[in-house]
Amino acid sequence: MKSVTERMPRRRFLQSVGFVAGATMLPAAFSARVFAEENLVIAGPKVPDIKPTQLSENVLCIVSPWGFPSVENQGMMSNVTFVNTKKGVVIIDSGASRQIGEMALRQIRQITNAPVVAVINTHYHGDHWLGNHAFVNENPDVPLYAHQKTISAIKTGQGEFWRNLMERSTDNATVGTAVTPPTLALSHGDVLDFVDTKIKVHFYGTAHTPSDISLEIVGHNIVHVGDVAMDNRIAFMDDGSFRGTFKNYDALEAAVPGALWIPAHGHPGKQVLAHNRELFEGIYQSAQKAVEQMGGQELAKSLALEDPRVKKYAPVTKGFDENIGKYTSLAYLEAESASF
Protein backbone atom coordinates (compact mmCIF):
# COMPACT_ATOMS: atom_id res chain seq x y z
CA MET A 1 0.00 0.00 0.00
CA LYS A 2 1.47 3.35 -1.04
CA SER A 3 1.07 6.48 1.08
CA VAL A 4 0.58 10.05 -0.08
CA THR A 5 1.09 12.56 2.71
CA GLU A 6 1.21 16.36 3.09
CA ARG A 7 1.58 17.19 -0.32
CA MET A 8 -20.71 13.77 -21.41
CA PRO A 9 -27.83 12.06 -23.97
CA ARG A 10 -24.20 13.76 -23.56
CA ARG A 11 -23.33 13.83 -27.26
CA ARG A 12 -26.72 15.24 -28.19
CA PHE A 13 -26.56 17.66 -25.28
CA LEU A 14 -23.10 18.90 -26.24
CA GLN A 15 -24.16 19.30 -29.84
CA SER A 16 -27.29 21.19 -28.79
CA VAL A 17 -25.29 23.90 -27.06
CA GLY A 18 -22.99 24.30 -30.04
CA PHE A 19 -19.59 23.57 -28.55
CA VAL A 20 -16.63 21.53 -29.66
CA ALA A 21 -13.79 20.39 -27.44
CA GLY A 22 -11.30 23.12 -26.80
CA ALA A 23 -13.62 25.97 -27.82
CA THR A 24 -13.01 29.29 -26.11
CA MET A 25 -16.12 31.33 -26.84
CA LEU A 26 -17.11 34.35 -24.74
CA PRO A 27 -20.72 34.73 -23.57
CA ALA A 28 -22.79 36.54 -26.20
CA ALA A 29 -24.56 38.80 -23.71
CA PHE A 30 -24.53 39.58 -20.04
CA SER A 31 -27.90 39.53 -18.30
CA ALA A 32 -28.47 41.89 -15.39
CA ARG A 33 -30.72 39.23 -13.90
CA VAL A 34 -27.85 36.78 -13.82
CA PHE A 35 -24.75 38.77 -12.96
CA ALA A 36 -23.43 40.65 -9.98
CA GLU A 37 -20.18 42.60 -9.85
CA GLU A 38 -17.97 41.70 -6.93
CA ASN A 39 -14.48 43.07 -6.47
CA LEU A 40 -14.38 44.06 -10.16
CA VAL A 41 -15.05 40.44 -11.19
CA ILE A 42 -18.25 39.67 -13.10
CA ALA A 43 -19.87 36.68 -11.44
CA GLY A 44 -23.11 34.78 -11.64
CA PRO A 45 -25.59 34.66 -8.74
CA LYS A 46 -25.35 32.57 -5.63
CA VAL A 47 -26.58 28.97 -5.84
CA PRO A 48 -29.40 28.18 -3.39
CA ASP A 49 -28.28 26.22 -0.36
CA ILE A 50 -28.79 22.45 -0.21
CA LYS A 51 -28.48 20.93 3.24
CA PRO A 52 -25.97 18.04 3.34
CA THR A 53 -27.10 14.47 3.99
CA GLN A 54 -25.22 12.82 6.87
CA LEU A 55 -23.89 9.40 5.81
CA SER A 56 -21.76 8.66 8.86
CA GLU A 57 -20.39 10.59 11.80
CA ASN A 58 -17.80 12.33 9.61
CA VAL A 59 -19.02 11.85 6.00
CA LEU A 60 -21.66 14.14 4.45
CA CYS A 61 -22.98 14.57 0.92
CA ILE A 62 -24.75 17.50 -0.74
CA VAL A 63 -27.11 15.53 -2.99
CA SER A 64 -27.85 17.40 -6.19
CA PRO A 65 -31.19 17.33 -8.01
CA TRP A 66 -31.33 15.50 -11.34
CA GLY A 67 -30.76 17.40 -14.55
CA PHE A 68 -28.42 18.70 -17.19
CA PRO A 69 -26.99 22.16 -16.50
CA SER A 70 -29.71 24.73 -17.10
CA VAL A 71 -30.87 28.24 -16.29
CA GLU A 72 -33.08 26.79 -13.56
CA ASN A 73 -30.44 24.72 -11.73
CA GLN A 74 -27.48 27.10 -12.37
CA GLY A 75 -25.33 24.03 -13.11
CA MET A 76 -26.09 22.28 -9.80
CA MET A 77 -26.25 18.71 -11.11
CA SER A 78 -23.55 16.75 -9.33
CA ASN A 79 -23.11 15.69 -5.70
CA VAL A 80 -20.44 17.24 -3.48
CA THR A 81 -19.11 14.97 -0.73
CA PHE A 82 -17.05 16.11 2.22
CA VAL A 83 -15.27 14.33 5.03
CA ASN A 84 -14.50 15.88 8.40
CA THR A 85 -11.11 14.74 9.64
CA LYS A 86 -8.83 15.68 12.50
CA LYS A 87 -6.63 17.54 10.04
CA GLY A 88 -9.52 19.39 8.36
CA VAL A 89 -12.23 18.98 5.71
CA VAL A 90 -11.68 16.90 2.56
CA ILE A 91 -13.84 17.66 -0.49
CA ILE A 92 -14.62 14.91 -3.03
CA ASP A 93 -15.88 16.45 -6.29
CA SER A 94 -16.33 20.19 -5.98
CA GLY A 95 -19.27 20.89 -8.29
CA ALA A 96 -19.76 22.63 -11.64
CA SER A 97 -18.89 26.23 -10.76
CA ARG A 98 -17.28 28.60 -8.34
CA GLN A 99 -20.78 29.45 -7.11
CA ILE A 100 -21.53 25.79 -6.33
CA GLY A 101 -18.24 25.47 -4.50
CA GLU A 102 -19.12 28.55 -2.49
CA MET A 103 -22.50 27.04 -1.63
CA ALA A 104 -20.73 23.90 -0.42
CA LEU A 105 -18.44 26.04 1.71
CA ARG A 106 -21.46 27.71 3.31
CA GLN A 107 -22.83 24.31 4.28
CA ILE A 108 -19.49 23.21 5.67
CA ARG A 109 -19.17 26.37 7.75
CA GLN A 110 -22.50 25.60 9.42
CA ILE A 111 -20.92 22.38 10.69
CA THR A 112 -17.25 23.17 11.28
CA ASN A 113 -14.74 26.01 11.09
CA ALA A 114 -11.94 23.58 10.24
CA PRO A 115 -9.96 24.42 7.10
CA VAL A 116 -10.44 22.60 3.81
CA VAL A 117 -7.23 20.60 3.56
CA ALA A 118 -7.74 18.76 0.26
CA VAL A 119 -10.00 18.63 -2.81
CA ILE A 120 -10.17 15.41 -4.84
CA ASN A 121 -11.71 15.27 -8.34
CA THR A 122 -12.89 11.87 -9.61
CA HIS A 123 -12.60 12.62 -13.35
CA TYR A 124 -12.39 15.39 -15.94
CA HIS A 125 -16.06 16.21 -16.63
CA GLY A 126 -16.56 19.77 -15.45
CA ASP A 127 -19.44 19.17 -13.06
CA HIS A 128 -16.90 17.41 -10.82
CA TRP A 129 -14.07 19.96 -10.66
CA LEU A 130 -15.05 23.49 -11.77
CA GLY A 131 -15.94 24.21 -8.14
CA ASN A 132 -12.23 23.95 -7.30
CA HIS A 133 -12.07 27.71 -7.90
CA ALA A 134 -14.07 28.42 -4.72
CA PHE A 135 -11.77 26.38 -2.53
CA VAL A 136 -8.63 27.92 -4.00
CA ASN A 137 -10.17 31.35 -3.43
CA GLU A 138 -10.52 30.50 0.24
CA ASN A 139 -7.05 28.96 0.48
CA PRO A 140 -4.65 29.35 -2.46
CA ASP A 141 -2.48 26.55 -1.08
CA VAL A 142 -5.18 23.88 -0.79
CA PRO A 143 -3.99 20.66 -2.49
CA LEU A 144 -6.05 19.60 -5.53
CA TYR A 145 -5.85 15.88 -6.39
CA ALA A 146 -6.91 13.72 -9.36
CA HIS A 147 -5.66 10.95 -11.62
CA GLN A 148 -2.90 12.10 -13.97
CA LYS A 149 -5.16 11.51 -17.00
CA THR A 150 -7.73 13.85 -15.47
CA ILE A 151 -5.12 16.54 -14.87
CA SER A 152 -3.84 16.23 -18.44
CA ALA A 153 -7.34 16.29 -19.98
CA ILE A 154 -8.35 19.46 -18.12
CA LYS A 155 -5.14 21.22 -19.08
CA THR A 156 -5.37 20.26 -22.77
CA GLY A 157 -8.91 21.27 -23.76
CA GLN A 158 -11.45 19.83 -21.35
CA GLY A 159 -10.99 22.73 -18.94
CA GLU A 160 -12.01 25.57 -21.26
CA PHE A 161 -14.56 23.33 -22.97
CA TRP A 162 -16.42 22.65 -19.73
CA ARG A 163 -16.16 26.21 -18.43
CA ASN A 164 -17.70 27.54 -21.64
CA LEU A 165 -20.28 24.76 -21.75
CA MET A 166 -21.52 25.57 -18.27
CA GLU A 167 -21.74 29.29 -19.03
CA ARG A 168 -23.68 28.71 -22.27
CA SER A 169 -26.12 26.14 -20.86
CA THR A 170 -26.93 28.12 -17.70
CA ASP A 171 -27.38 31.51 -19.41
CA ASN A 172 -24.09 32.60 -17.86
CA ALA A 173 -25.04 31.77 -14.26
CA THR A 174 -21.60 30.22 -13.76
CA VAL A 175 -19.63 33.21 -15.06
CA GLY A 176 -16.76 34.11 -12.78
CA THR A 177 -15.59 30.50 -12.59
CA ALA A 178 -11.95 30.09 -13.58
CA VAL A 179 -10.47 26.84 -14.83
CA THR A 180 -8.64 25.55 -11.75
CA PRO A 181 -7.16 22.14 -12.57
CA PRO A 182 -6.00 19.63 -10.00
CA THR A 183 -2.22 19.46 -9.85
CA LEU A 184 -1.36 16.47 -7.65
CA ALA A 185 -1.59 13.07 -9.31
CA LEU A 186 -3.12 10.03 -7.62
CA SER A 187 -2.71 6.38 -8.60
CA HIS A 188 -4.37 3.13 -7.60
CA GLY A 189 -3.52 2.17 -4.03
CA ASP A 190 -2.45 5.64 -2.92
CA VAL A 191 -3.61 6.59 0.57
CA LEU A 192 -4.18 10.15 1.75
CA ASP A 193 -3.65 10.30 5.52
CA PHE A 194 -5.59 12.92 7.50
CA VAL A 195 -4.53 11.73 10.97
CA ASP A 196 -7.75 10.01 12.08
CA THR A 197 -9.05 9.31 8.57
CA LYS A 198 -7.47 7.64 5.55
CA ILE A 199 -8.81 7.90 2.02
CA LYS A 200 -7.70 5.16 -0.37
CA VAL A 201 -7.64 5.51 -4.16
CA HIS A 202 -9.14 2.80 -6.37
CA PHE A 203 -8.41 2.96 -10.10
CA TYR A 204 -9.26 0.01 -12.36
CA GLY A 205 -9.04 1.54 -15.83
CA THR A 206 -11.69 3.01 -18.09
CA ALA A 207 -15.27 2.96 -16.81
CA HIS A 208 -17.25 6.19 -17.34
CA THR A 209 -14.04 7.86 -18.58
CA PRO A 210 -10.44 6.69 -18.91
CA SER A 211 -9.52 8.31 -15.59
CA ASP A 212 -12.24 7.49 -13.04
CA ILE A 213 -11.02 7.11 -9.51
CA SER A 214 -13.14 5.89 -6.60
CA LEU A 215 -12.34 7.04 -3.06
CA GLU A 216 -12.69 4.69 -0.11
CA ILE A 217 -13.15 6.23 3.33
CA VAL A 218 -11.11 3.56 5.07
CA GLY A 219 -12.79 2.01 8.09
CA HIS A 220 -16.18 3.55 7.32
CA ASN A 221 -17.18 1.08 4.55
CA ILE A 222 -18.04 4.06 2.35
CA VAL A 223 -16.80 4.61 -1.21
CA HIS A 224 -17.39 7.68 -3.38
CA VAL A 225 -17.56 6.26 -6.92
CA GLY A 226 -18.05 9.46 -8.93
CA ASP A 227 -19.74 8.56 -12.23
CA VAL A 228 -18.62 4.93 -12.27
CA ALA A 229 -22.19 4.29 -11.09
CA MET A 230 -25.32 6.40 -10.63
CA ASP A 231 -28.56 6.11 -8.69
CA ASN A 232 -31.51 5.77 -11.09
CA ARG A 233 -29.66 7.83 -13.66
CA ILE A 234 -28.20 6.75 -16.99
CA ALA A 235 -24.44 7.29 -16.87
CA PHE A 236 -23.05 8.47 -20.18
CA MET A 237 -20.59 6.15 -21.86
CA ASP A 238 -19.34 8.33 -24.71
CA ASP A 239 -15.87 8.39 -23.15
CA GLY A 240 -16.23 5.06 -21.37
CA SER A 241 -16.53 1.29 -21.62
CA PHE A 242 -19.22 -1.18 -20.58
CA ARG A 243 -16.67 -3.94 -20.13
CA GLY A 244 -14.42 -1.59 -18.19
CA THR A 245 -17.35 -0.63 -15.98
CA PHE A 246 -17.99 -4.29 -15.12
CA LYS A 247 -14.28 -4.67 -14.31
CA ASN A 248 -14.53 -1.68 -11.96
CA TYR A 249 -17.62 -3.11 -10.24
CA ASP A 250 -15.95 -6.49 -9.75
CA ALA A 251 -12.85 -4.93 -8.26
CA LEU A 252 -14.69 -2.46 -6.00
CA GLU A 253 -17.09 -5.07 -4.66
CA ALA A 254 -14.16 -7.38 -3.91
CA ALA A 255 -12.11 -4.63 -2.27
CA VAL A 256 -14.89 -3.10 -0.14
CA PRO A 257 -17.69 -5.68 0.19
CA GLY A 258 -21.02 -4.38 1.42
CA ALA A 259 -19.98 -0.75 1.05
CA LEU A 260 -22.24 2.26 0.97
CA TRP A 261 -21.61 3.62 -2.53
CA ILE A 262 -21.79 7.40 -3.04
CA PRO A 263 -22.55 8.24 -6.68
CA ALA A 264 -21.98 11.72 -8.04
CA HIS A 265 -25.58 11.71 -9.35
CA GLY A 266 -28.42 10.44 -7.21
CA HIS A 267 -28.63 9.12 -3.68
CA PRO A 268 -26.00 7.00 -1.91
CA GLY A 269 -26.93 3.40 -1.22
CA LYS A 270 -25.61 -0.13 -0.86
CA GLN A 271 -27.31 -1.29 -4.08
CA VAL A 272 -26.07 1.43 -6.43
CA LEU A 273 -23.46 -0.77 -8.10
CA ALA A 274 -25.73 -3.82 -8.25
CA HIS A 275 -28.55 -1.88 -9.91
CA ASN A 276 -26.21 -0.25 -12.43
CA ARG A 277 -24.63 -3.60 -13.22
CA GLU A 278 -28.00 -5.21 -13.91
CA LEU A 279 -29.08 -2.45 -16.31
CA PHE A 280 -25.71 -2.30 -18.07
CA GLU A 281 -25.48 -6.08 -18.43
CA GLY A 282 -28.93 -6.08 -20.03
CA ILE A 283 -27.79 -3.45 -22.54
CA TYR A 284 -24.35 -4.90 -23.26
CA GLN A 285 -25.34 -8.56 -23.46
CA SER A 286 -28.13 -7.60 -25.87
CA ALA A 287 -25.50 -5.90 -28.00
CA GLN A 288 -23.36 -9.02 -27.90
CA LYS A 289 -26.30 -11.07 -29.20
CA ALA A 290 -26.86 -8.56 -32.00
CA VAL A 291 -23.20 -8.84 -32.99
CA GLU A 292 -23.39 -12.63 -33.02
CA GLN A 293 -26.46 -12.43 -35.25
CA MET A 294 -24.85 -9.71 -37.42
CA GLY A 295 -28.02 -7.72 -36.89
CA GLY A 296 -26.61 -4.23 -36.42
CA GLN A 297 -27.33 -1.50 -33.94
CA GLU A 298 -31.09 -1.49 -34.44
CA LEU A 299 -31.25 -5.14 -33.40
CA ALA A 300 -29.12 -4.34 -30.36
CA LYS A 301 -31.65 -1.69 -29.33
CA SER A 302 -34.61 -3.98 -29.97
CA LEU A 303 -33.09 -6.81 -27.94
CA ALA A 304 -32.19 -4.45 -25.11
CA LEU A 305 -35.70 -3.06 -24.88
CA GLU A 306 -37.04 -6.61 -24.55
CA ASP A 307 -34.44 -7.69 -22.00
CA PRO A 308 -36.14 -8.15 -18.59
CA ARG A 309 -33.29 -6.39 -16.79
CA VAL A 310 -33.59 -3.32 -18.99
CA LYS A 311 -37.39 -3.34 -18.75
CA LYS A 312 -37.08 -3.47 -14.96
CA TYR A 313 -35.03 -0.27 -14.73
CA ALA A 314 -36.38 1.71 -17.69
CA PRO A 315 -39.32 3.23 -15.77
CA VAL A 316 -37.16 4.45 -12.87
CA THR A 317 -34.03 5.54 -14.78
CA LYS A 318 -33.96 9.26 -15.53
CA GLY A 319 -32.90 10.02 -19.09
CA PHE A 320 -33.65 6.47 -20.28
CA ASP A 321 -35.95 7.21 -23.22
CA GLU A 322 -33.74 9.97 -24.59
CA ASN A 323 -30.54 7.95 -24.34
CA ILE A 324 -31.24 4.24 -24.83
CA GLY A 325 -30.63 4.44 -28.60
CA LYS A 326 -27.20 5.95 -28.12
CA TYR A 327 -26.41 3.52 -25.32
CA THR A 328 -27.22 0.46 -27.38
CA SER A 329 -25.22 1.87 -30.30
CA LEU A 330 -22.17 2.40 -28.10
CA ALA A 331 -22.60 -1.06 -26.58
CA TYR A 332 -22.87 -2.61 -30.04
CA LEU A 333 -19.70 -0.91 -31.26
CA GLU A 334 -17.82 -2.05 -28.16
CA ALA A 335 -19.12 -5.63 -28.42
CA GLU A 336 -18.29 -5.70 -32.13
CA SER A 337 -14.74 -4.51 -31.44
CA ALA A 338 -14.33 -7.08 -28.66
CA SER A 339 -15.43 -9.90 -30.99
CA PHE A 340 -12.42 -9.55 -33.29
Side-chain angles (χ1 to χ4, degrees):
M1 179 181 294
K2 294 177 283 183
S3 177
V4 178
T5 59
E6 310 304 327
R7 334 173 258 158
M8 273 181 166
R10 186 174 300 274
R11 184 172 299 149
R12 183 186 302 171
F13 169 64
L14 299 184
Q15 290 171 342
S16 74
V17 296
F19 278 86
V20 293
T24 55
M25 298 174 62
L26 293 175
F30 286 2
S31 167
R33 178 180 61 80
V34 173
F35 299 121
E37 187 164 352
E38 181 178 60
N39 298 326
L40 301 180
V41 175
I42 299 298
K46 289 183 178 180
V47 171
D49 290 348
I50 299 177
K51 184 179 179 180
T53 299
Q54 190 109 24
L55 302 179
S56 73
E57 183 179 357
N58 298 321
V59 182
L60 300 95
C61 182
I62 299 174
V63 178
S64 176
W66 158 254
F68 294 119
S70 66
V71 174
E72 292 73 24
N73 66 24
Q74 299 173 233
M76 184 60 193
M77 54 179 284
S78 184
N79 299 345
V80 179
T81 298
F82 58 96
V83 186
N84 288 321
T85 76
K86 193 168 183 178
K87 187 175 178 182
V89 180
V90 179
I91 306 296
I92 302 177
D93 282 348
S94 59
S97 70
R98 163 187 157 188
Q99 292 84 349
I100 292 168
E102 290 169 346
M103 183 273 286
L105 275 168
R106 293 197 297 272
Q107 310 319 301
I108 292 167
R109 292 297 165 245
Q110 293 182 32
I111 297 167
T112 177
N113 289 319
V116 174
V117 293
V119 179
I120 311 173
N121 306 132
T122 57
H123 61 289
Y124 56 76
H125 292 156
D127 50 317
H128 301 262
W129 62 266
L130 278 163
N132 291 0
H133 184 185
F135 298 97
V136 170
N137 269 359
E138 184 186 65
N139 174 14
D141 297 321
V142 66
L144 305 176
Y145 294 95
H147 192 276
Q148 182 59 56
K149 290 181 180 179
T150 291
I151 297 172
S152 298
I154 294 171
K155 289 182 175 180
T156 58
Q158 289 288 336
E160 287 300 320
F161 169 64
W162 278 97
R163 182 182 67 80
N164 289 319
L165 176 61
M166 287 297 171
E167 289 179 3
R168 178 72 174 267
S169 54
T170 64
D171 192 18
N172 297 317
T174 64
V175 159
T177 302
V179 173
T180 311
T183 58
L184 300 173
L186 294 172
S187 301
H188 175 70
D190 285 348
V191 175
L192 295 167
D193 191 343
F194 300 99
V195 184
D196 63 337
T197 305
K198 292 180 172 62
I199 298 180
K200 183 177 180 180
V201 179
H202 294 264
F203 174 69
Y204 302 106
T206 299
H208 174 65
T209 73
S211 59
D212 300 287
I213 56 173
S214 296
L215 288 312
E216 176 190 355
I217 317 302
V218 178
H220 291 253
N221 218 38
I222 294 176
V223 183
H224 181 104
V225 295
D227 283 358
V228 169
M230 297 184 184
D231 167 53
N232 291 339
R233 272 75 166 162
I234 195 154
F236 300 114
M237 300 298 289
D238 302 62
D239 300 338
S241 164
F242 286 89
R243 296 168 74 221
T245 296
F246 301 142
K247 177 184 175 183
N248 270 258
Y249 291 173
D250 290 343
L252 287 167
E253 289 169 338
V256 197
L260 177 72
W261 310 106
I262 306 176
H265 302 275
H267 292 272
K270 292 194 172 185
Q271 299 302 312
V272 170
L273 261 61
H275 291 170
N276 273 250
R277 180 194 291 273
E278 196 171 359
L279 172 61
F280 273 23
E281 285 181 345
I283 293 172
Y284 187 71
Q285 289 172 11
S286 294
Q288 287 179 308
K289 291 177 184 177
V291 170
E292 291 168 3
Q293 297 174 32
M294 295 183 289
Q297 296 177 23
E298 284 303 314
L299 179 60
K301 179 180 178 181
S302 176
L303 291 172
L305 290 172
E306 291 304 315
D307 187 284
R309 295 164 293 186
V310 177
K311 292 172 77 172
K312 174 181 175 181
Y313 288 102
V316 298
T317 299
K318 294 178 174 65
F320 180 87
D321 291 337
E322 301 91 333
N323 290 281
I324 187 59
K326 182 186 71 174
Y327 262 62
T328 53
S329 294
L330 290 169
Y332 182 88
L333 293 171
E334 184 173 347
E336 185 178 49
S337 177
S339 70
F340 290 115

